[in-house]
Amino acid sequence: MCGLVFWRHRRAALDAAVWTRALAHLQQRGPDGQATATGPGWALGFTRLAIIDLSAAAMQPFTDRSGRHVLAFNGEIYNYAELRDALIQEGVVFRSRSDTEVLLELILRRGLDAALAAVRGMFAFVLMDKRTDRVIAVRDHFGQKPLYWFAENGQIAVASDQRSLNALRPSVVPNLDAYHVYLSTSGEEGTRGMFGAQTSFFAGLQMLPAGHMLVIDKGTPSVRRYFAPWELVDGDRMAQAEARPYPALLDEFAGLWQQAVRRHLVADVPTGVLLSGGLDSSMVFWDAQRLASPLTAFTKLSPGIEELPLSVVPDLLGRRPAHCYFSLQSRRTYLPELQAFIDYAAAPSRWGGGPPMHRLCVDARRNGVIVLLGGDCADEYLGGYKHYKALFETATETTLGPLVGLDSRSPSYNAAAAAPHEAREAGVRQEILAHLTRAGVRTDRAAHAIMLHDTAGFLPTCNLPHSDTYAMMASVELRNPMLDMDLVRFCVNLPLSLRAAPDESGQFGKRILRDLASREIGPSINRKKEGTRNYSMAMADPTYWRPDAFRIGAFLPLPAAPTRRDIIRFVNLELFHRRHIEGQDAPLPSMLTEAGLAATDLGVAPDADALQGRAADLVADVV
């Protein structure tokens, strides 16, 4: 896991001061080294978080033997060892043991499209051909790694971090349409704000969508898609799955699950698991503990709003022993931690769980664990969200649903701002339906389309950038076994009755995973879904805030009777606007009332050891 930035500046010489500022924003993504490759009118910078091949031989930017091609790569190729062996058989002589060199040689030997089809991993990379003056920037299939870009004033730049790009721009202006879209999320629950698939909160700065590449040919940029999740749907495979006995399907799923976990444990540094006690993370832990030794788990405790960490995790540890650090969350530190999160993300929080999850990643880094496996990313393609049950009963094939659609009834809804977002998502839905028709899918098309759309739209714009932020803030790599390509391909071709359906416990969604968990761990693991509980709603108390002091109120008035959900979204946007647009150093005191100030520890760093000690006491009481 690393950071990268490419800049076609078209100057006679690189502006060293500007370039240094751009690279500085990538320091947390790559604390283990920094390097730059330069040429006439361009620079490619890299900061390293060493995970595979810790030696200097694996340092980037990486150049092929001829010196023609230069690669900067962020991410991991989990099947790099098998690909490396195949390339050696073809006569390739490697200079390192890194997956970076494997990726470069694979592209040069087999071509970009074939290489992208062969790799199993997460990545964002920039590859330059110095002879042809052609640059290709690629974001991975599901969007696990972020990549942003802009083309303006005769220059083009691509980076892992929006702040790096803004350091290269003469001015930064807000994208007010993105503000409206963020506040116009559908649904009645949660604190999530909506993000566009290609946009950012800065005018002119774009996110490269998942499964897409940016091609810069002699200075001219163009974007093309190379992958979409719905392309994995195969009518023949669906028919075969329908006809097979369920025990055989469950056994195949178990094999693919174990393969996914095994792949994601590949590392030359210590690994761990984010263990919430929920179904998904418990299953990741269950197999990772068997495959990796030693293994460390990290669990957050939020007294009063979470039950699973204390009711499930101690039992799991008793049955499969591992080191486990418990992190006690505090509502008093939530707001300053939220501001720090927004500072790093250069965006309002997707939802409230970023600060407490970041704390877990800090604990991991403090204890020498550099790679963490998480339990996210199955709810979309296995129908795990609780709103799916009612949605699937009423949805038509064109119903977008709350994860990608906007709510026109929202007080913040603006038709002009919403139009590009809604037009893009409507187009995506039509592409999905057209593929389902070609694949011969005739039943449950609305449910299939919604889950595929959420996998293609919600995951890479909300879920994955959010988790990438809280991990990279702590210089820790977060991996998602549930986005293993072979596992996803199998699951999206299962009948709906094995995905978005209740199991024997009556819990809805992810049925085949629940059945596997019952078989491997025991039926007690199938509890009601909690999600990532946090103190965002507690700190959205209306008596804590001064809406009259909000700067964004000039163009985004708060509803007359705001809910806590409204308040926390406006707080997120206000913090983003003040920090990244206005450059205000300490915005929170002027935003809070006396009651809010009394409820918040501003400027006080939490005592990690004391909180961990209190967490241990809570666990001891339960045990």
Side-chain angles (χ1 to χ4, degrees):
M1 190 71 69
C2 308
L4 62 88
V5 55
F6 171 80
W7 187 22
R8 184 180 289 282
H9 52 81
R10 296 190 178 281
R11 297 186 176 97
L14 179 68
D15 186 325
V18 171
W19 186 246
T20 298
R21 287 198 298 271
L23 281 175
H25 289 300
L26 299 173
Q27 184 63 32
Q28 286 162 281
R29 299 191 72 91
D32 298 331
Q34 176 179 302
T36 296
T38 61
W42 64 270
L44 179 58
F46 175 79
T47 60
R48 185 184 187 194
L49 178 62
I51 302 292
I52 294 175
D53 187 353
L54 310 184
S55 73
M59 188 60 183
Q60 302 177 45
F62 205 95
T63 305
D64 72 330
R65 290 181 183 276
S66 71
R68 172 180 170 178
H69 300 95
V70 185
L71 174 71
F73 161 65
N74 166 31
E76 306 295 345
I77 306 300
Y78 303 124
N79 63 336
Y80 82 97
E82 303 97 284
L83 295 171
R84 188 177 191 272
D85 289 344
L87 289 167
I88 289 174
Q89 293 299 313
E90 297 173 21
V92 176
V93 177
F94 286 93
R95 293 166 285 158
S96 72
R97 295 182 293 103
S98 71
D99 54 340
T100 303
E101 188 176 11
V102 170
L103 176 63
L104 177 59
E105 291 293 342
L106 194 68
I107 293 171
L108 298 182
R109 284 271 174 160
R110 302 184 187 175
L112 181 59
D113 288 336
L116 293 174
V119 296
R120 297 290 180 265
M122 58 178 182
F123 50 82
F125 65 82
V126 172
L127 175 64
M128 182 169 192
D129 185 333
K130 294 190 288 186
R131 183 183 301 172
T132 63
D133 193 23
R134 192 169 192 254
V135 179
I136 300 173
V138 184
R139 189 177 178 203
D140 67 66
H141 302 80
F142 296 108
Q144 297 180 73
K145 294 292 101 194
L147 208 55
Y148 301 90
W149 69 285
F150 71 82
E152 57 190 19
N153 302 319
Q155 61 177 347
I156 301 173
V158 183
S160 304
D161 192 302
Q162 298 173 86
R163 299 170 302 163
S164 294
L165 295 180
N166 284 338
L168 305 177
R169 308 172 75 191
S171 62
V172 175
V173 177
N175 177 3
L176 297 184
D177 285 357
Y179 286 31
H180 283 285
V181 168
Y182 177 81
L183 295 173
S184 300
T185 305
S186 334
E188 301 299 326
E189 297 182 351
T191 59
R192 181 179 58 85
M194 180 67 70
F195 281 60
Q198 295 174 295
T199 58
S200 76
F201 289 82
F202 304 102
L205 197 158
Q206 302 180 61
M207 173 184 276
L208 186 66
H212 283 64
M213 63 179 69
L214 171 69
V215 180
I216 308 170
D217 208 343
K218 295 182 174 60
T220 301
S222 61
V223 175
R224 80 169 177 89
R225 189 180 74 212
Y226 70 88
F227 171 82
W230 56 85
E231 295 169 354
L232 299 175
V233 175
D234 182 307
D236 291 337
R237 291 187 66 155
M238 276 192 168
Q240 292 167 7
E242 286 273 12
R244 290 179 65 190
Y246 183 44
L249 286 173
L250 190 60
D251 286 344
E252 184 174 353
F253 176 75
L256 290 168
W257 174 269
Q258 292 166 11
Q259 173 181 267
V261 174
R262 184 182 300 107
R263 282 174 172 171
H264 284 71
L265 287 168
V266 172
D268 294 333
V269 294
T271 59
V273 172
L274 292 176
L275 178 58
S276 70
L279 171 71
D280 302 357
S281 68
S282 296
M283 279 295 289
V284 171
F285 168 79
W286 192 255
D287 279 304
Q289 189 272 353
R290 180 175 55 83
L291 295 167
S293 181
L295 182 77
T296 307
F298 297 87
T299 300
K300 70 179 180 66
L301 302 178
S302 304
I305 59 173
E306 279 185 314
E307 296 181 1
L308 291 181
L310 287 178
S311 62
V312 174
V313 172
D315 178 62
L316 288 174
L317 295 172
R319 297 169 64 188
R320 292 218 161 158
H323 297 296
C324 187
Y325 290 88
F326 291 87
S327 174
L328 183 64
Q329 305 304 303
S330 168
R331 69 179 64 196
R332 298 192 60 85
T333 62
Y334 181 83
L335 292 177
E337 290 175 350
L338 175 65
Q339 180 181 306
F341 185 86
I342 292 170
D343 285 352
Y344 183 83
S349 179
R350 268 75 174 174
W351 55 82
M357 295 305 292
H358 168 61
R359 181 86 65 78
L360 286 182
C361 295
V362 171
D363 285 346
R365 184 79 194 190
R366 287 175 65 235
N367 288 283
V369 175
I370 311 300
V371 171
L372 289 170
L373 274 60
D376 289 336
C377 307
D379 285 315
E380 291 78 11
Y381 65 82
L382 280 178
Y385 290 115
K386 62 182 180 181
H387 71 267
Y388 278 154
K389 186 177 188 297
L391 180 63
F392 293 166
E393 291 172 354
T394 60
T396 68
E397 292 183 358
T398 57
T399 301
L400 293 181
L403 298 187
V404 294
L406 301 182
D407 185 356
S408 61
R409 301 165 299 175
S410 166
S412 302
Y413 182 86
N414 178 286
H421 176 94
E422 292 175 324
R424 182 188 186 279
E425 298 308 325
V428 169
R429 179 56 59 87
Q430 290 305 313
E431 282 197 67
I432 294 172
L433 293 171
H435 180 81
L436 293 180
T437 297
R438 290 192 298 272
V441 178
R442 295 181 176 82
T443 60
D444 303 314
R445 285 168 54 90
H448 284 302
I450 288 169
M451 289 189 289
L452 289 166
H453 200 155
D454 291 347
T455 302
F458 175 69
L459 270 179
T461 59
C462 286
N463 194 333
L464 291 166
H466 181 81
S467 57
D468 179 80
T469 296
Y470 65 65
M472 295 315 305
M473 280 181 73
S475 302
V476 166
E477 175 173 289
L478 180 62
R479 298 177 174 181
N480 303 292
M482 295 187 184
L483 285 183
D484 178 86
M485 180 68 73
D486 300 307
L487 180 67
V488 176
R489 186 191 305 274
F490 174 82
C491 290
V492 298
N493 287 294
L494 287 173
L496 197 65
S497 60
L498 299 183
R499 299 158 68 195
D503 69 346
E504 291 183 356
S505 73
Q507 300 297 322
F508 180 85
K510 299 182 287 192
R511 182 191 160 190
I512 194 167
L513 179 58
R514 290 187 182 279
D515 288 347
L516 181 62
S518 293
R519 189 177 84 177
E520 298 294 320
I521 303 176
S524 63
I525 196 63
N526 280 315
R527 310 287 186 92
K528 185 178 179 180
K529 182 180 178 63
E530 274 192 345
T532 305
R533 300 290 179 89
N534 59 82
Y535 290 118
S536 58
M537 297 304 280
M539 300 312 295
D541 187 320
T543 66
Y544 290 176
W545 299 98
R546 295 181 51 208
D548 59 304
F550 281 23
R551 310 279 178 79
I552 63 172
F555 47 87
L556 285 170
L558 195 68
T563 65
R564 293 195 179 211
R565 186 181 189 223
D566 293 325
I567 290 170
I568 197 64
R569 286 182 184 166
F570 273 84
V571 167
N572 267 274
L573 264 182
E574 180 73 7
L575 286 171
F576 165 79
H577 189 82
R578 291 202 191 194
R579 295 291 292 132
H580 290 282
I581 303 301
E582 297 183 356
Q584 184 178 349
D585 285 336
L588 276 170
S590 64
M591 294 166 58
L592 288 162
T593 64
E594 289 188 10
L597 289 169
T600 303
D601 292 334
L602 293 179
V604 179
D607 186 328
D609 291 330
L611 287 175
Q612 204 166 82
R614 289 170 58 199
D617 291 341
L618 285 171
V619 176
D621 289 343
V622 171
V623 174

